[in-house]
Amino acid sequence: MTKDAVCGRTLDESPMDSFQYIYNNETYRFCSERCLEEFKRSPEVYAPSFTGKEYMVEGMHCANCALAIERGLKKVPGISEVRVNFASNRCRVEFDPVRLDAEDIEGMVKKLGYKLIPEQCDEQTAVITVDGMDTPYKQVMVENVLKRHTGILRLKTSSAKHAIEVVYNPAVEKPSGFIKTLSSEGYKATIIMDMEPIETEISENDTRAWKRKFFPLLILGIPLFIIAIGGMFFHFNLVSEALALQLQFLLASAMIAFSHSFYTKGFRALFIHRMPNMDSLVAIGTGAAYVYSVASLIDSTWKLDISGFDHYYFDAVGTILLFITFGKLLESIARGRTGEAIKKLMGLSPKTAVVIRNGDEIEIPLGEVEIGDIVMVKPGMKIPVDGSIRDGRSFVDESMITGESIPVEKKTGDHVIGATINKTGTFTMVTEKIGKDTMLSQIIRMVRKAQESRAPIQNLADRIAGYFVPFVLSVAGLSFLIWLLTGKEMVFAISVAISVTIIACPCALGLAVPTAVMMGTGLAAKHGILVKNAETLERVKHIDAIVFDKTGTLTRGEPVVTDIIPVNATETEILLMAASIEKFSEHPLAQALVKRAGEVGCILKNVSDFESFTGWGVKGVINSDVYYLGNLQLMHEKQVEVKPGEEDHFRELGGQGKTVMILARASEILGLIAAADTLKEHSVEAVKLLKKKGLRTFLITGDNRKTAEAIAKESGIDEVMAEVLPAGKALCLKEMQEKGLKVAMVGDGINDAPALAQADIGIAVGSGTDIAIETGDFVLVKSDLRDVVAAMDISRYTMRKIKQNLFWAFCYNVVGIPVAAGVLYPFTGFLLNPMIAGAAMAFSSVSVVTNTLLMKFFRRENV
């Protein structure tokens, strides 16, 4: 259905009844000359503002099915982009909502023989059990009660299970409202669970469908095989030859009936849509064999003696269908396993939460938790939502989100992440993020987006797959004619043609890339690494330089006390007095002193007459003694004598990139305290691993060169770019790229955003609930720089698997098709049996997916 871009009126399908105009290579149609002229005056106003919609796809049997949907939709005016992923059964369509409705897109795909199931990120689904809903009449009554809620989008009831599936808008409705409404009408209703992810349902439905086809075929195929093979190889006949042929005919016909989807989809794709697929090959190959066999059976039964009709392929037809169906069943199971990572992520979230309302602990469905709710979390429970601890402390297992196996200590004020597990203590928390805003939901969205994206290498496979089926049909026809012209009998030529059509497998080509991408991104997520798109995986191999931001990336981002040099007091006395003076200051150095004093058990003293000297230090009075804490300038200003040895200590520590403070009582120096932003725990190890791989390492920072060089030396980084403003970091990276370097930038994803965008690969270091970093190509959930190495290793490993898959897919078809066509026959007398060809086709795509599943055994490298 096409709409007028100006007035929105629905136009007839025929272009003869409307005015047309081409703008930006798009053809627009109008109902009148007035609308056409209006569009010409301001085309930018009426030109499309494309929107995207996500779908799950039902009915795809092979990679050519995905290509057929893409090609079919791309022909439609108003659709700018279509991406169909056969491996995950997902589809994304970018379209102009002024010219097309989502229903139009779904209808167009339905005409192609497939079904689109829309996904809405803003929708939620609840399953409610209703006692007594055991008849269609009561089912309708319950539906009518619920339809009073304007926020309900769809209903699906099951009287057999006494359950109703409610799809609703969480911004408008809460499941508790549905329960109250049903209760007011006398129904006893309970929310039992949230719906399983729709992709899980599609995958399971697909597997169940192939099982329903396979087991009847197996039951029919066993007697068919016994009847056919018994007389052929073992020279025994349970029945007469004529009856045996009739039984074979009946069994093969029944097997074709159970496999009808191959024929309906295959012939529709070939003759109606002119985009043949794998089903077309199966339908033509087995269909030709079946028709020929039926003709031979009629010839022998009625003694027509028609030349050439004297062979039977009923056993081959049945066996081929059985093998191919079994192969598709195995492929469906294997494809489901490639998406296990995201399914596990989706299954992490608990179904309920314990909230405190009016002083009572109430267990409610997770969908009813609201921002600001106080949630009680006891030992062993999953934390239901993102928030911060209000009261209590505990150790939390965050391994399912971060991949870090050691539980993390959490205390009042600390952030906690939904779906992580509380190990020891009991605490209450304040809800800060719910639903699609939680960290888990953001991870799922990012992983899903990466799995739906297309790696550049996939374009090659798709182009080949697009021409593959027509090429195979041409080879089959040409082989048939060549063998007939060389004097071979009809049976020989038909057998060759059938083998060619049956052995060819476009599915292996279509599955080679997307299954590996799904496994690779899932594997990365398991290690706490989020990949933004599949193209990133391919670009990693070109990287030859790694640039690290300093603060918050290589270092912890906050100073800690590193050195205490006693002069006229003990280390404990120096720390106690310095921390007491600084205890009310919010300066990072002051907080570092107070934190260190607390760690060693110091009880801070009362301070009076506190005074701050900007850029120099502070003064305070403790027990009538005046204390100064600051730099050399403050000491000189207050006439505190600094001896040469003490000044040497000061300058030596400063040369190491540390901030040095001198503590003095009146005119006497008590000691020196140094603080620095220290390296993260695994920074040195990460740099060592990267250098081991032959990569050049750089440090870029806005700090002074002395501090930068000290950090670079400590971490093992080769080259330093210091005193660079945030805006200048991108320019530095651009200069490196102009010199021919392929650069990866590692930064915190906020003030380093321009540099991350400029880099060939941007790696954003995330921490806690700051995971929603959109700048980087990779997002590291933990602040562990060893994950930079893991991200690169996983990317390269995924690309190796993709190339292996493509090699086996190409190799299989390049070798299999000529052998099936009979190229070996003149030299060896070998001719491929169609049944063997069917078995080979069945297991070709399974072998590719199995090779992908071996990625589960990936182990990250350590020093």
Side-chain angles (χ1 to χ4, degrees):
M1 209 183 307
T2 304
K3 295 182 178 181
D4 188 311
V6 175
C7 69
R9 176 183 170 186
T10 300
L11 303 175
D12 187 82
E13 293 292 337
S14 171
M16 300 299 293
D17 301 326
S18 64
F19 298 90
Q20 296 189 35
Y21 183 70
I22 297 176
Y23 176 73
N24 280 349
N25 297 319
E26 283 280 342
T27 302
Y28 295 86
R29 297 174 56 204
F30 307 92
C31 63
S32 65
E33 187 175 359
R34 182 184 63 80
C35 287
L36 171 59
E37 293 304 320
E38 176 64 23
F39 184 90
K40 287 181 178 179
R41 278 195 294 271
S42 306
E44 67 281 354
V45 175
Y46 301 104
S49 175
F50 291 105
T51 187
K53 194 166 180 65
E54 307 283 346
Y55 293 95
M56 294 300 296
V57 188
E58 277 190 352
M60 290 196 296
H61 284 182
C62 70
N64 282 70
C65 297
L67 291 174
I69 295 173
E70 285 191 0
R71 289 175 178 174
L73 288 179
K74 283 178 179 178
K75 294 176 182 177
V76 178
I79 293 180
S80 64
E81 185 178 5
V82 183
R83 288 186 181 179
V84 184
N85 190 320
F86 171 52
S88 62
N89 291 315
R90 299 179 68 83
C91 171
R92 178 175 177 82
V93 183
E94 299 280 346
F95 66 98
D96 177 10
V98 174
R99 304 171 68 191
L100 288 171
D101 291 328
E103 292 77 9
D104 299 331
I105 296 170
E106 293 162 25
M108 293 167 193
V109 173
K110 189 175 182 180
K111 290 179 182 178
L112 294 172
Y114 310 96
K115 182 180 179 182
L116 291 183
I117 301 174
E119 284 194 345
Q120 290 288 344
C121 293
D122 295 330
E123 292 180 2
Q124 288 188 12
T125 306
V127 176
I128 302 172
T129 57
V130 183
D131 288 356
M133 193 182 69
D134 52 3
T135 65
Y137 172 74
K138 291 181 180 178
Q139 176 179 316
V140 172
M141 295 294 291
V142 170
E143 287 183 358
N144 288 336
V145 170
L146 288 174
K147 284 177 181 176
R148 299 173 192 170
H149 290 265
T150 56
I152 290 180
L153 306 174
R154 293 188 298 279
L155 295 171
K156 182 179 178 182
T157 54
S158 170
S159 55
K161 295 182 179 179
H162 299 216
I164 185 164
E165 175 188 314
V166 185
V167 182
Y168 62 96
N169 183 346
V172 179
E173 301 283 1
K174 295 287 182 186
S176 57
F178 309 149
I179 302 297
K180 289 177 183 177
T181 302
L182 290 168
S183 298
S184 67
E185 295 293 328
Y187 296 100
K188 185 179 179 181
T190 309
I191 299 174
I192 57 170
M193 58 174 282
D194 289 334
M195 273 297 293
E196 288 295 316
I198 191 169
E199 42 262 81
T200 301
E201 183 181 352
I202 294 290
S203 176
E204 291 176 353
N205 286 346
D206 187 50
T207 301
R208 280 195 294 268
W210 286 114
K211 283 180 179 178
R212 285 195 298 268
K213 292 175 183 177
F214 171 69
F215 288 111
L217 289 177
L218 182 63
I219 293 169
L220 294 168
I222 290 173
L224 175 62
F225 185 80
I226 291 172
I227 292 170
I229 301 302
M232 187 182 304
F233 292 105
F234 301 105
H235 306 292
F236 71 85
N237 290 305
L238 299 175
V239 294
S240 66
E241 184 177 351
L243 182 57
L245 287 173
Q246 292 170 7
L247 288 173
Q248 288 183 50
F249 163 71
L250 292 174
L251 290 169
S253 299
M255 293 178 79
I256 285 176
F258 277 108
S259 307
H260 64 87
S261 61
F262 285 127
Y263 301 92
T264 54
K265 289 179 179 291
F267 288 128
R268 185 191 298 123
L270 178 61
F271 297 114
I272 297 177
H273 304 302
R274 297 186 180 181
M275 287 183 283
N277 55 22
M278 186 212 77
D279 294 340
S280 305
L281 295 177
V282 175
I284 291 170
T286 58
Y290 179 77
V291 170
Y292 177 84
S293 301
V294 169
S296 296
L297 181 61
I298 293 171
D299 179 54
S300 64
T301 302
W302 279 288
K303 311 296 182 183
L304 300 178
D305 295 326
I306 302 174
S307 176
F309 291 99
D310 57 357
H311 202 80
Y312 306 95
Y313 288 104
F314 293 124
D315 55 337
V317 169
T319 307
I320 288 168
L321 291 174
L322 178 62
F323 279 152
I324 290 174
T325 303
F326 182 54
K328 297 305 287 185
L329 172 59
L330 293 179
E331 178 192 314
S332 176
I333 294 170
R335 278 200 295 141
R337 289 177 181 171
T338 61
E340 278 182 354
I342 197 166
K343 292 172 190 173
K344 286 180 180 177
L345 285 172
M346 289 178 165
L348 288 177
S349 185
K351 306 301 180 186
T352 61
V354 177
V355 299
I356 300 175
R357 291 180 179 170
N358 300 321
D360 297 324
E361 294 182 17
I362 307 170
E363 186 171 1
I364 62 173
L366 189 65
E368 296 183 33
V369 178
E370 299 178 0
I371 293 175
D373 272 344
I374 306 300
V375 178
M376 171 70 74
V377 185
K378 298 178 181 179
M381 291 177 60
K382 284 186 176 182
I383 297 171
V385 291
D386 291 2
S388 57
I389 293 181
R390 181 172 177 261
D391 184 41
R393 62 192 303 141
S394 182
F395 282 87
V396 176
D397 179 0
E398 297 182 341
S399 59
M400 67 282 294
I401 300 293
T402 66
E404 181 60 57
S405 59
I406 301 174
V408 181
E409 184 180 8
K410 300 288 184 178
K411 56 186 183 300
T412 302
D414 287 347
H415 286 288
V416 287
I417 305 167
T420 56
I421 300 173
N422 181 29
K423 301 295 287 186
T424 54
T426 297
F427 61 84
T428 57
M429 59 176 288
V430 180
T431 302
E432 294 174 347
K433 292 182 180 180
I434 59 174
K436 61 185 177 63
D437 296 323
T438 63
M439 179 179 176
L440 178 62
S441 296
Q442 292 173 19
I443 289 174
I444 290 170
R445 281 201 300 275
M446 194 171 285
V447 174
R448 178 184 286 170
K449 183 179 178 182
Q451 292 184 346
E452 290 170 6
S453 63
R454 189 188 301 266
I457 197 171
Q458 188 173 340
N459 295 329
L460 171 64
D462 285 349
R463 281 197 300 271
I464 293 172
Y467 295 106
F468 185 82
V469 176
F471 168 76
V472 170
L473 293 175
S474 301
V475 171
L478 191 61
S479 300
F480 176 80
L481 291 174
I482 289 174
W483 286 115
L484 279 183
L485 293 174
T486 56
K488 289 296 181 183
E489 61 274 13
M490 177 74 73
V491 171
F492 187 97
I494 288 177
S495 180
V496 167
I498 292 170
S499 294
V500 170
T501 57
I502 294 301
I503 199 170
C505 186
C507 295
L509 285 171
L511 288 169
V513 180
T515 54
V517 168
M518 289 178 69
M519 281 296 292
T521 52
L523 186 65
K526 181 181 175 182
H527 286 83
I529 302 161
L530 304 182
V531 185
K532 197 166 185 181
N533 56 60
E535 184 181 354
T536 299
L537 299 172
E538 194 167 339
R539 281 191 278 124
V540 164
K541 66 180 179 182
H542 301 295
I543 296 300
D544 47 29
I546 304 280
V547 179
F548 290 95
D549 172 51
K550 183 181 80 71
T551 307
T553 302
L554 271 175
T555 65
R556 299 179 186 277
E558 56 183 27
V560 296
V561 175
T562 58
D563 303 270
I564 299 177
I565 310 295
V567 177
N568 293 306
T570 65
E571 289 187 16
T572 302
E573 289 173 337
I574 294 169
L575 182 62
L576 172 62
M577 296 306 175
S580 298
I581 296 169
E582 293 278 28
K583 66 181 177 181
F584 295 115
S585 173
E586 294 183 357
H587 192 281
L589 290 173
Q591 293 177 356
L593 287 168
V594 173
K595 182 179 180 180
R596 177 66 177 272
E599 289 172 352
V600 299
C602 291
I603 299 175
L604 302 185
K605 297 183 176 294
N606 293 324
V607 177
S608 60
D609 296 333
F610 177 82
E611 187 177 355
S612 175
F613 306 98
T614 304
W616 288 356
V618 294
K619 173 198 126 178
V621 176
I622 302 175
N623 296 333
S624 302
D625 291 326
V626 177
Y627 289 84
Y628 297 102
L629 180 66
N631 55 23
L632 284 172
Q633 286 88 339
L634 179 63
M635 298 301 116
H636 293 155
E637 176 69 20
K638 300 303 178 182
Q639 298 180 352
V640 176
E641 182 184 359
V642 181
K643 297 178 181 179
E646 295 159 359
E647 188 167 339
D648 290 343
H649 273 306
F650 186 94
R651 299 194 186 283
E652 180 184 350
L653 292 169
Q656 296 172 10
K658 299 173 181 178
T659 301
V660 189
M661 298 164 281
I662 300 174
L663 177 67
R665 181 173 54 208
S667 60
E668 178 187 31
I669 290 181
L670 300 181
L672 285 75
I673 303 173
D677 184 6
T678 58
L679 289 173
K680 290 179 180 176
E681 183 180 358
H682 301 296
S683 294
V684 175
E685 185 180 354
V687 172
K688 189 181 294 183
L689 283 169
L690 291 167
K691 292 174 73 172
K692 183 179 174 182
K693 295 178 182 297
L695 297 170
R696 293 175 62 182
T697 54
F698 295 79
L699 174 66
I700 190 167
T701 179
D703 277 354
N704 63 73
R705 178 160 291 278
K706 186 178 291 186
T707 301
E709 288 177 346
I711 290 292
K713 182 179 180 181
E714 186 180 357
S715 62
I717 289 177
D718 300 319
E719 302 175 56
V720 175
M721 292 175 279
E723 300 174 13
V724 181
L725 296 175
K729 291 181 180 180
L731 293 176
C732 288
L733 264 64
K734 187 175 181 181
E735 290 174 4
M736 293 173 67
Q737 290 168 330
E738 289 172 351
K739 293 176 182 177
L741 290 174
K742 296 294 183 183
V743 183
M745 169 72 187
V746 186
D748 63 16
I750 302 170
N751 59 0
D752 295 314
L756 288 169
Q758 176 65 42
D760 296 284
I761 296 288
I763 303 175
V765 179
S767 58
T769 50
D770 292 330
I771 195 60
I773 298 173
E774 294 294 336
T775 319
D777 298 299
F778 289 104
V779 176
L780 310 183
V781 178
K782 301 171 287 179
S783 294
D784 187 341
L785 290 187
R786 291 178 300 177
D787 289 341
V788 174
V789 185
M792 301 187 77
D793 286 346
I794 290 171
S795 298
R796 288 170 174 155
Y797 182 61
T798 302
M799 290 308 301
R800 281 203 304 273
K801 281 295 179 182
I802 288 173
K803 290 174 181 177
Q804 289 171 13
N805 287 348
L806 287 173
F807 170 79
W808 287 115
F810 281 120
C811 185
Y812 164 81
N813 285 294
V814 167
V815 173
I817 292 173
V819 170
V823 294
L824 298 179
Y825 184 79
F827 310 104
T828 64
F830 175 78
L831 187 67
L832 190 67
N833 187 295
M835 288 189 287
I836 304 301
M841 178 192 186
F843 290 99
S844 60
S845 55
V846 175
S847 63
V848 166
V849 180
T850 302
N851 184 51
T852 297
L853 290 175
L854 293 176
M855 293 174 71
K856 288 182 178 181
F857 300 103
F858 169 83
R859 293 292 180 268
R860 61 189 297 173
E861 181 183 357
N862 292 313
V863 173

